[in-house]
Amino acid sequence: MSAVTTTGAQTTTAPKVQPHAFHIDDSMYKGAGWILFAAIMFVVSACLNIIWGIAAVSKSHFFVAGASYILSDLNTWGWFAIGFAALELFTALSIWRGGAFGWWFGISVAGLAAILAMMTIPAYPFWSLVLIAIDIPVIYGLAAYGGRPELTQ
């Protein structure tokens, strides 16, 4: 709808501006997506580790035959992967809860997960590289935005 203004000699039509029902300040929510991404990737990584661990414990033919490991054997790494998956689920919950503990804990667990994925490369190289590729943006998201709660609220 427009408003009509007249001065007798001249008539002008101006569009009427409708106010928006709400306003979102994009700079305020800039890091919220990265924090949510990090927590979701911890859940995905935990699911992948559970699958990997069950396959390793059950002596599946899924893995490279005759691979040698730096520490122990495939069965031990399978149980370790299942336990680490529980730690990753706890980390996701900690990140969703907010606070500095979740931030630091998430960065340290993602770094440890990347190192452990490198140590299991002999078992299934592609799977390990996928886990490493998940951990790198998680570390970035938590390091860049995890300690700045004003960007995520």
Side-chain angles (χ1 to χ4, degrees):
M1 181 131 202
S2 60
V4 178
T5 309
T6 183
T7 59
Q10 181 180 7
T11 303
T12 59
T13 306
K16 185 176 179 184
V17 178
Q18 295 288 335
H20 294 289
F22 59 91
H23 175 71
I24 296 176
D25 183 14
D26 289 338
S27 64
M28 188 171 157
Y29 294 96
K30 183 177 179 185
W34 278 102
I35 301 300
L36 180 64
F37 171 78
I40 290 172
M41 286 299 110
F42 270 117
V43 172
V44 169
S45 180
C47 291
L48 292 176
N49 276 329
I50 288 171
I51 293 168
W52 194 95
I54 290 171
V57 170
S58 66
K59 295 182 173 45
S60 174
H61 298 289
F62 176 73
F63 298 101
V64 174
S68 61
Y69 301 92
I70 297 172
L71 300 171
S72 198
D73 62 347
L74 183 61
N75 190 18
T76 305
W77 279 108
W79 284 112
F80 191 75
I82 292 171
F84 196 72
L87 182 68
E88 287 179 320
L89 288 173
F90 175 73
T91 304
L93 293 174
S94 179
I95 291 170
W96 278 324
R97 185 176 179 271
F101 176 76
W103 170 47
W104 285 107
F105 192 62
I107 291 173
S108 60
V109 169
L112 183 62
I115 292 169
L116 293 175
M118 286 183 204
M119 293 182 73
T120 60
I121 284 178
Y124 199 79
F126 182 71
W127 193 284
S128 298
L129 294 175
V130 167
L131 291 176
I132 293 167
I134 288 173
D135 291 327
I136 292 170
V138 165
I139 292 171
Y140 168 76
L142 291 174
Y145 300 107
R148 299 176 55 177
E150 69 275 4
L151 291 177
T152 60
Q153 294 179 358

